[in-house]
């Protein structure tokens, strides 16, 4: 049982552009300040849709976001 602590970079991001633009853009668009990515896949193909799992430390919850069609 591993706890996610604020500021820890326990995450994996797949398919992001240089400089983590997708990761940074998603957090900024959603207004998350006290959050970290747990896992994200920004691969966007016919068979794969981008999604992310985010830890919100201020609300002590996990957020799952999936890009719709």
């Amino acid at each position: 049982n591993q706890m996610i602590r604020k500021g820890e970079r326990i995450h994996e991001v797949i398919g992001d552009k240089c400089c983590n633009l997708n990761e940074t853009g998603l957090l900024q668009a959603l207004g998350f300040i006290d959050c970290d990515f747990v896992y994200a896949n920004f691969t966007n193909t016919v068979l794969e849709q981008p999604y992310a799992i985010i830890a919100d430390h201020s609300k002590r919850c996990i957020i799952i976001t999936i890009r719709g069609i």
Side-chain angles (χ1 to χ4, degrees):
N1 189 11
Q2 186 175 14
M3 195 168 128
I4 301 168
R5 292 182 179 83
K6 180 179 175 181
E8 283 189 66
R9 300 295 288 181
I10 306 173
H11 75 286
E12 182 176 355
V13 177
I14 297 170
D16 202 352
K17 306 295 182 202
C18 69
C19 305
N20 298 326
L21 294 178
N22 287 324
E23 181 178 354
T24 304
L26 180 59
L27 289 178
Q28 186 176 29
L30 296 175
F32 295 143
I33 298 170
D34 194 20
C35 296
D36 291 310
F37 275 84
V38 176
Y39 184 86
N41 187 338
F42 292 110
T43 304
N44 188 16
T45 66
V46 174
L47 299 175
E48 286 185 277
Q49 299 298 318
Y51 66 95
I53 302 169
I54 302 167
D56 184 337
H57 300 289
S58 62
K59 294 183 180 175
R60 298 179 52 100
C61 65
I62 298 294
I63 298 151
I64 300 172
T65 178
I66 304 168
R67 194 204 77 177
I69 297 174

